[in-house]
Amino acid sequence: MVKRFRFGAPIETEAVLEKGAQQDKQQLSLVQTADGLEYEMPDDMIVYGLGENTRGINKRGWIYVSNCTDNPHHNEGTRSLYGAHNFLLLSGEGQQLGLFIDTPAKVTFDIGYSRYNLLRITAGQDYDLYVIEGSTPAQVVQEFRQLIGRSYIPPKWAFGYGQSRWSYLSSDEVREVVRGHREKGLPLDSVYLDIDYMERYKDFTVDREQFADFEQLVSEMKQEHIHLVPIIDAGVKVEEGYDVYEEGEKEGYFCKDEEGNDFIVGVWPGRCCFPDMLNDKARAWFGNKYKVLLDKGIDGFWNDMNEPAVFYSEKRLKKVFEKLQDYQGQNLDVNTFFEFQALAAGVSNNEEDYRSFYHNYRGEKIRHDKVHNLFGYYMTRSASEAFERLEPEKRILMYSRSSYIGMHRYAGIWQGDNLSWWSHLLMNLKMMPSLNMCGFLYTGADIGGFGGDATEDLVIRWLSFGVFTPLLRNHAARGTRQQEAYRFPRTNLFQNVLTARYCMLPYLYSEFMKAALRSTMMFSPLGFVYPSDQTARQVEDQLFVGENIMIAPVYEQNASGRTVYFPETMKLLRFHDGGVLEGSVYEKGWAYVEMPLGDVCVFIRDGYLLPLAKGGSHVAEVDFEDLRLYTCGSDVKSYEYYMDDGETKDYSLDKYIRILKAE
């Protein structure tokens, strides 16, 4: 059951497809406050949700702020990440309550931080609240997902392995990366182009010095079954003679300052303007620009810097330079030094700057901070809507760094600029079900970590978890260790892990598609599957992938195995040395399981099966029909196997599901 309660005059986000009638606030089970809501939580209540955010699957005990933020150095103390996903699921004995606070402005969730049993939501005066009641956590999530619409579905090739770096600087470097994988027997389907493929960081351009043969490169890579996926950034370079800038400036498509002038910020190219993504005409104009690259054979993109990230505003930079003069010649003691240091540090992503520019949203001038969390969503929507016009029958890969609920219909996300930390591997694991709750199914983190120098074992362990996530991309920052799989000594271990991915593709693709089309979750906490098992409800480092298998990744350095909780009888299936080994059967309870580096372990539930293919060097080489069925137990259920062509937009469950039965 879904009920909508309106507070004030909220700004439309288009996150929800069917709003339903407003309800009388007398029916509301939460306490209304001057600027939000409060709810008394029982001791045993688990709070799920908030999509992309820090800490555990259970969100109790911390403050989270929905405010799309560029923060590549996030840790346990961080309160905001790149997405804003205002959905909570309160799960207690006899009560399952979903809450969605629909507002594009900042929202604060104090989930037992100030007082352990108190949920305090601070959302201002204007928002829609959706309250969803159900008998199980999974039912509440399904109701919410049906409310917000079907999740984005990428092409099948996008479930293959992708290699990225900031940046591959030339066509020859791209060829070297592909050659390195192919010669070492490492499967690969895509190579990502970061900002250096552009001409001086200008959107929808190509650097004709380093990528002179760009069109030939795209064609050549497709012959190798490699898709090139270029980045598109939110800022348009201010430069006379640059057509994108000149058109946007002439038509008034850029965000304005208080005086009505184009708001100038610094991003990758230096001085930039932000296209007004909330202006329908500007959004259509920007989306049509993707045609430049579509016409060159590109069929995948990633949108970046669209929180939007601000290196500096021109006005703020001027003030800082003037203020810095005051410190010249001073004795900088502890106080004045920190003031001096904070001046420079406060230039980027400054809250005052976000209150200094405006959008034309449905004919109304709206200050950016009031709609901040919509910017990345609407930028990515601009591309998706353009693809519908330009390539209506074809699936195009699209994912974004910033997002709000609703964008899940148009694209996936990656989980932002992380670090080469073991804790960020664990956070990746814990984020998957939370994102699925909010509709984001096509997602994954930068394998190995984006910032910092990754170790060989971290990349292998991260890959060993990442092979289950729909988006599987190795990505690293400029100045860090090169972490492509073929550069490490133990290439055979990487080969085994990636082979496991391509063997599991039939199951992973099938489970993804069923989750998208049925509004269910691909990744579930154990408590969703066993809601009455109090131990299962507390386990946060194991997940179900689909209905049939459980995973328990290793996320600690130098560990050769781990303790696993089995909520029921399960059988170990081990990918080892390029093959598949059927291992021990574990009864309900705790057990230590050996998981040597390079092995990928899955646990099949009693009475279920797992279909596997023979693998391949790319997705097109995988035989999705000739499958081997691995089972646990004697009375094995049949499996609904979904498989379509992976390219067109015919997604019929009746047409593409067939039943697999164990012999």
Side-chain angles (χ1 to χ4, degrees):
M1 180 186 297
V2 180
K3 296 179 180 179
R4 178 170 69 95
F5 302 89
R6 170 152 289 192
F7 296 83
I11 295 168
E12 177 58 65
T13 67
E14 298 190 11
V16 171
L17 295 180
E18 298 290 338
K19 289 185 173 295
Q22 294 184 48
Q23 302 292 316
D24 186 339
K25 295 188 184 71
Q26 297 295 325
Q27 301 179 34
L28 187 60
S29 57
L30 286 79
V31 175
Q32 302 171 51
T33 64
D35 57 359
L37 302 160
E38 291 184 352
Y39 181 81
E40 287 286 337
M41 300 181 292
D43 287 345
D44 69 338
M45 178 166 278
I46 292 177
V47 181
Y48 297 108
L50 294 185
E52 182 183 75
N53 226 309
T54 58
R55 300 200 171 219
I57 292 176
N58 185 355
K59 298 301 181 186
R60 283 187 78 157
W62 188 239
I63 294 179
Y64 305 87
V65 180
S66 278
N67 187 50
C68 298
T69 303
D70 173 22
N71 182 358
H73 304 292
H74 50 273
N75 52 40
E76 282 193 30
T78 299
R79 294 181 175 179
S80 300
L81 286 179
Y82 298 92
H85 308 135
N86 304 337
F87 174 70
L88 293 178
L89 170 54
L90 312 181
S91 178
E93 188 172 347
Q95 183 178 33
Q96 310 296 326
L97 192 67
L99 305 174
F100 174 46
I101 296 85
D102 190 9
T103 172
K106 182 188 295 185
V107 181
T108 300
F109 298 88
D110 182 339
I111 310 177
Y113 173 78
S114 298
R115 180 163 66 81
Y116 185 70
N117 290 98
L118 180 66
L119 166 64
R120 178 182 291 127
I121 301 171
T122 305
Q125 306 293 321
D126 305 305
Y127 59 94
D128 275 328
L129 168 68
Y130 293 84
V131 179
I132 306 166
E133 296 178 357
S135 58
T136 66
Q139 183 188 20
V140 171
V141 168
Q142 187 173 40
E143 289 259 19
F144 177 60
R145 293 270 304 284
Q146 290 170 343
L147 187 72
I148 60 177
R150 193 193 70 203
S151 299
Y152 162 76
I153 296 173
K156 193 184 293 182
W157 64 259
F159 289 80
Y161 181 51
Q163 181 58 54
S164 183
R165 185 172 177 83
W166 173 30
S167 288
Y168 298 125
L169 299 175
S170 68
S171 295
D172 287 342
E173 279 199 37
V174 172
R175 293 184 177 100
E176 178 193 341
V177 169
V178 174
R179 186 166 53 249
H181 284 82
R182 293 287 188 248
E183 289 179 352
K184 294 293 181 68
L186 298 162
L188 187 69
D189 272 272
S190 55
V191 175
Y192 289 79
L193 303 179
D194 212 312
I195 58 175
D196 292 292
Y197 82 91
M198 302 178 193
E199 178 192 327
R200 290 178 287 117
Y201 311 129
K202 295 186 295 184
D203 280 340
F204 311 113
T205 67
V206 174
D207 179 353
R208 289 298 179 178
E209 290 187 8
Q210 298 302 318
F211 291 88
D213 60 344
F214 186 80
E215 291 81 359
Q216 179 185 332
L217 177 67
V218 174
S219 176
E220 179 186 324
M221 289 297 102
K222 285 196 172 180
Q223 294 298 314
E224 294 260 3
H225 296 280
I226 298 293
H227 300 258
L228 298 185
V229 184
I231 195 171
I232 301 294
D233 281 332
V236 170
K237 181 178 173 63
V238 175
E239 179 177 281
E240 297 301 323
Y242 172 35
D243 62 337
V244 180
Y245 168 70
E246 289 189 338
E247 289 174 19
E249 196 274 334
K250 178 183 176 182
E251 299 296 332
Y253 287 155
F254 296 131
C255 293
K256 308 298 182 183
D257 63 16
E258 180 66 43
E259 291 76 36
N261 302 312
D262 290 343
F263 185 69
I264 307 298
V265 298
V267 199
W268 295 116
R271 299 175 72 244
C272 288
C273 293
F274 286 140
D276 187 354
M277 301 300 180
L278 276 68
N279 178 328
D280 291 346
K281 291 182 178 179
R283 188 168 72 250
W285 163 77
F286 190 82
N288 285 336
K289 292 300 175 185
Y290 287 79
K291 186 175 188 296
V292 171
L293 291 164
L294 289 173
D295 287 348
K296 299 181 189 303
I298 294 297
D299 52 8
F301 300 88
W302 49 305
N303 283 348
D304 197 8
M305 303 294 285
N306 54 353
E307 292 69 38
V310 175
F311 289 174
Y312 59 84
S313 73
E314 199 164 57
K315 291 182 178 180
R316 174 160 301 281
L317 200 60
K318 181 181 178 182
K319 291 179 183 178
V320 168
F321 280 136
E322 290 172 353
K323 182 66 175 175
L324 285 173
Q325 300 301 316
D326 296 343
Y327 293 91
Q328 189 169 352
Q330 280 196 40
N331 172 36
L332 298 182
D333 63 13
V334 62
N335 297 316
T336 51
F337 174 72
F338 287 149
E339 290 171 1
F340 171 82
Q341 191 179 49
L343 270 177
V347 167
S348 297
N349 302 320
N350 190 284
E351 288 194 15
E352 186 177 321
D353 285 337
Y354 289 124
R355 294 191 293 268
S356 301
F357 67 96
Y358 295 80
H359 296 271
N360 176 4
Y361 188 37
R362 303 186 178 189
E364 182 182 352
K365 180 181 177 182
I366 296 182
R367 202 173 71 191
H368 174 78
D369 62 309
K370 304 296 184 183
V371 290
H372 174 74
N373 292 332
L374 293 185
F375 189 91
Y377 162 15
Y378 275 66
M379 177 190 175
T380 300
R381 177 176 173 175
S382 77
S384 178
E385 290 173 338
F387 300 156
E388 288 293 328
R389 296 189 296 269
L390 300 169
E391 299 273 6
E393 301 303 319
K394 183 179 180 180
R395 300 188 211 175
I396 305 292
L397 172 62
M398 168 54 69
Y399 61 92
S400 170
R401 190 170 75 175
S402 180
S403 60
Y404 181 83
I405 290 173
M407 199 202 81
H408 72 285
R409 299 191 297 269
Y410 301 99
I413 62 171
W414 92 97
Q415 293 157 21
D417 294 345
N418 56 8
L419 289 159
S420 298
W421 294 349
W422 292 90
S423 61
H424 277 192
L425 163 56
L426 179 58
M427 186 167 66
N428 178 195
L429 183 155
K430 293 183 178 183
M431 225 183 269
M432 295 301 294
S434 301
L435 283 166
N436 280 195
M437 293 176 204
C438 298
F440 293 95
L441 297 181
Y442 189 76
T443 184
D446 287 342
I447 299 296
F450 176 70
D453 292 325
T455 60
E456 182 183 49
D457 59 338
L458 174 60
V459 181
I460 292 172
R461 288 298 190 191
W462 210 321
L463 265 178
S464 298
F465 167 65
V467 293
F468 298 97
T469 65
L471 171 58
L472 177 62
R473 178 180 76 154
N474 181 328
H475 186 40
R478 182 172 68 182
T480 64
R481 178 183 191 174
Q482 292 178 303
Q483 60 187 45
E484 294 85 359
Y486 63 86
R487 298 186 188 276
F488 290 101
R490 291 179 283 185
T491 311
N492 62 309
L493 301 185
F494 287 91
Q495 185 183 57
N496 181 70
V497 174
L498 289 172
T499 296
R501 165 64 164 216
Y502 284 73
C503 289
M504 289 189 290
L505 275 177
Y507 177 77
L508 297 174
Y509 184 80
S510 175
E511 291 303 302
F512 177 94
M513 292 300 297
K514 289 187 294 184
L517 298 174
R518 291 172 171 166
S519 299
T520 56
M521 293 171 61
M522 183 177 177
F523 289 83
S524 299
L526 270 59
F528 271 48
V529 183
Y530 309 95
S532 61
D533 184 331
Q534 294 306 312
T535 302
R537 281 167 53 84
Q538 299 300 317
V539 173
E540 294 214 347
D541 58 357
Q542 301 171 208
L543 298 175
F544 270 87
V545 183
E547 186 181 12
N548 294 25
I549 63 171
M550 184 181 76
I551 61 172
V554 173
Y555 51 87
E556 293 182 335
Q557 189 170 15
N558 298 318
S560 59
R562 56 161 292 176
T563 302
V564 178
Y565 178 67
F566 294 94
E568 62 173 294
T569 301
M570 295 184 181
K571 182 167 75 174
L572 169 64
L573 202 68
R574 185 187 300 276
F575 294 88
H576 174 79
D577 198 22
V580 182
L581 304 177
E582 297 189 63
S584 302
V585 174
Y586 294 89
E587 302 299 328
K588 178 180 171 64
W590 293 94
Y592 181 82
V593 181
E594 290 286 347
M595 299 183 186
L597 188 67
D599 281 10
V600 176
C601 296
V602 300
F603 301 96
I604 305 175
R605 294 175 70 184
D606 187 35
Y608 289 79
L609 63 81
L610 174 63
L612 296 180
K614 295 177 182 177
S617 60
H618 48 80
V619 171
E621 199 172 75
V622 176
D623 187 340
F624 287 87
E625 299 301 320
D626 183 15
L627 305 176
R628 183 174 178 184
L629 308 183
Y630 291 84
T631 63
C632 176
S634 56
D635 187 13
V636 178
K637 300 178 182 180
S638 59
Y639 176 68
E640 290 185 317
Y641 179 51
Y642 179 99
M643 193 53 55
D644 57 23
D645 65 12
E647 298 177 1
T648 58
K649 297 177 180 177
D650 178 8
Y651 313 123
S652 170
L653 282 167
D654 292 338
K655 183 177 179 180
Y656 293 115
I657 277 187
R658 62 187 175 93
I659 304 301
L660 302 182
K661 295 183 179 180
E663 295 179 359

